[in-house]
Amino acid sequence: MKIGELSERSGLSRDTIRLYEKNDLISSSASQSETNNYRDYSDDVLLQLKFVSSGREAGISISDLRELMKAFFGSCDPSEAENVIVAKTAELKERVSQIENVIVFLDAALVKVREGLDET
Amino acid sequence: MKIGELSERSGLSRDTIRLYEKNDLISSSASQSETNNYRDYSDDVLLQLKFVSSGREAGISISDLRELMKAFFGSCDPSEAENVIVAKTAELKERVSQIENVIVFLDAALVKVREGLDET
DNA sequence: GAAAACAATAGACCATGGTCCATGGTTTGG
DNA sequence: CCAAACCATGGACCATGGTCTATTGTTTTC
């Protein structure tokens, strides 16, 4: 499919898709036509973009995602892929626990605020 | 205390502290001395910075943190503070679940990678 | 076949979150 | 008293992640 359809189906702008491609998160091939230089994207790319955008929403950087994509889909050796995935999983879990710490703090603050409300 | 000590004790650079102060995450008072324009930071600020930096590490933006700091320490009315805290808590929980989705994906990928390793 | 819609490329632009540097003033230690 | 260490201010600079624009070329569609 061409970038327009991919954009439509992925919910990402053309610009963002091109940015991701430039950063090696996805790849494409030249279209069959000899008269243009349009890029052709496979259906797989759609799945990859879904992963990428959920990763971005979760706060994972593009360069981290590039490593992960390489581990998943690239042809690098599986034991290195394993290392990357294990490492990133650990990072993400650390991140979750950081956020949960903040949530705990917020919960405590909420209790205090509500006590203040009661007294008023 | 002066900014140097605060920097030392908080683990944040002077520049970062000044950035946070400019963004109203913390505040300071003029020093007693009439001959300089140094700022003076209370011990409370140290706690606030601890919260801010853990929030930053958890990926919370400065402007979001500003709202939270206002809710905690500011003099805005408690019911609005409650709203802010509840809203931010919900956002953070959403973020956690996004990250956990990615982790699930990574776990599945890991299994596949390991199967691949076994076969080799 | 002409206009509208689409594509590629490059570069400008923007916000965010920091760091670094230059300047000039202040304080502190020896 | 003098140098070293500290402070404030402002602006430059950087990376990241993305959007917007202009230009030029290609397809679609009527």
Side-chain angles (χ1 to χ4, degrees):
Chain A
M1 80 189 82
K2 286 181 288 183
I3 198 169
E5 184 184 346
L6 184 61
S7 168
E8 194 74 21
R9 294 220 264 161
S10 67
L12 297 172
S13 76
R14 296 175 197 353
D15 280 331
T16 298
I17 292 172
R18 294 198 180 103
L19 178 69
Y20 289 170
E21 184 164 11
K22 194 162 56 181
N23 281 279
D24 294 321
L25 298 187
I26 57 172
S27 61
S28 62
S29 52
S31 75
Q32 282 76 354
S33 167
E34 305 265 322
T35 57
N36 66 28
N37 58 341
Y38 294 0
R39 307 301 306 174
D40 184 64
Y41 298 89
S42 71
D43 281 357
D44 291 348
V45 173
L46 195 55
L47 289 176
Q48 293 170 19
L49 279 185
K50 289 229 189 295
F51 175 72
V52 165
S53 54
S54 67
R56 291 292 305 127
E57 279 170 34
I60 305 175
S61 73
I62 286 183
S63 56
D64 282 4
L65 284 172
R66 176 170 49 239
E67 283 188 72
L68 284 173
M69 299 305 282
K70 223 189 317 180
F72 293 162
F73 307 104
S75 50
C76 72
D77 72 299
S79 71
E80 195 197 319
E82 183 179 1
N83 290 340
V84 169
I85 295 174
V86 167
K88 293 300 169 196
T89 302
E91 277 180 34
L92 290 180
K93 285 184 177 167
E94 170 65 20
R95 201 182 182 93
V96 165
S97 84
Q98 285 172 333
I99 297 178
E100 279 171 347
N101 283 342
V102 175
I103 290 177
V104 167
F105 190 97
L106 292 191
D107 281 344
L110 197 54
V111 170
K112 276 195 191 167
V113 166
R114 284 182 173 150
E115 281 171 2
L117 280 177
D118 286 347
E119 287 165 12
T120 324
Chain B
M1 79 189 83
K2 286 181 289 185
I3 198 170
E5 184 183 347
L6 184 61
S7 168
E8 193 74 19
R9 293 221 263 162
S10 68
L12 297 172
S13 76
R14 294 172 172 66
D15 279 333
T16 298
I17 293 172
R18 292 198 180 104
L19 178 69
Y20 288 170
E21 183 164 11
K22 193 161 57 180
N23 281 280
D24 293 321
L25 298 186
I26 56 171
S27 62
S28 62
S29 52
S31 74
Q32 282 77 356
S33 167
E34 306 266 322
T35 58
N36 66 30
N37 57 342
Y38 293 1
R39 308 299 308 172
D40 184 66
Y41 297 90
S42 71
D43 282 357
D44 290 350
V45 173
L46 194 55
L47 289 176
Q48 293 170 19
L49 279 185
K50 289 227 188 297
F51 175 72
V52 166
S53 53
S54 66
R56 290 293 305 126
E57 279 169 35
I60 306 175
S61 73
I62 286 184
S63 56
D64 282 4
L65 284 172
R66 176 169 48 240
E67 282 189 70
L68 285 172
M69 299 306 281
K70 225 190 315 181
F72 294 163
F73 307 104
S75 51
C76 74
D77 73 300
S79 74
E80 195 197 317
E82 183 179 1
N83 289 341
V84 170
I85 295 173
V86 167
K88 293 300 168 196
T89 302
E91 277 180 35
L92 290 180
K93 285 184 177 168
E94 171 64 21
R95 199 181 182 95
V96 165
S97 84
Q98 284 172 331
I99 296 179
E100 278 170 348
N101 283 342
V102 176
I103 290 177
V104 167
F105 190 97
L106 293 191
D107 281 344
L110 198 53
V111 169
K112 276 194 192 169
V113 166
R114 284 183 173 148
E115 282 170 3
L117 280 176
D118 286 347
E119 287 165 15
T120 324

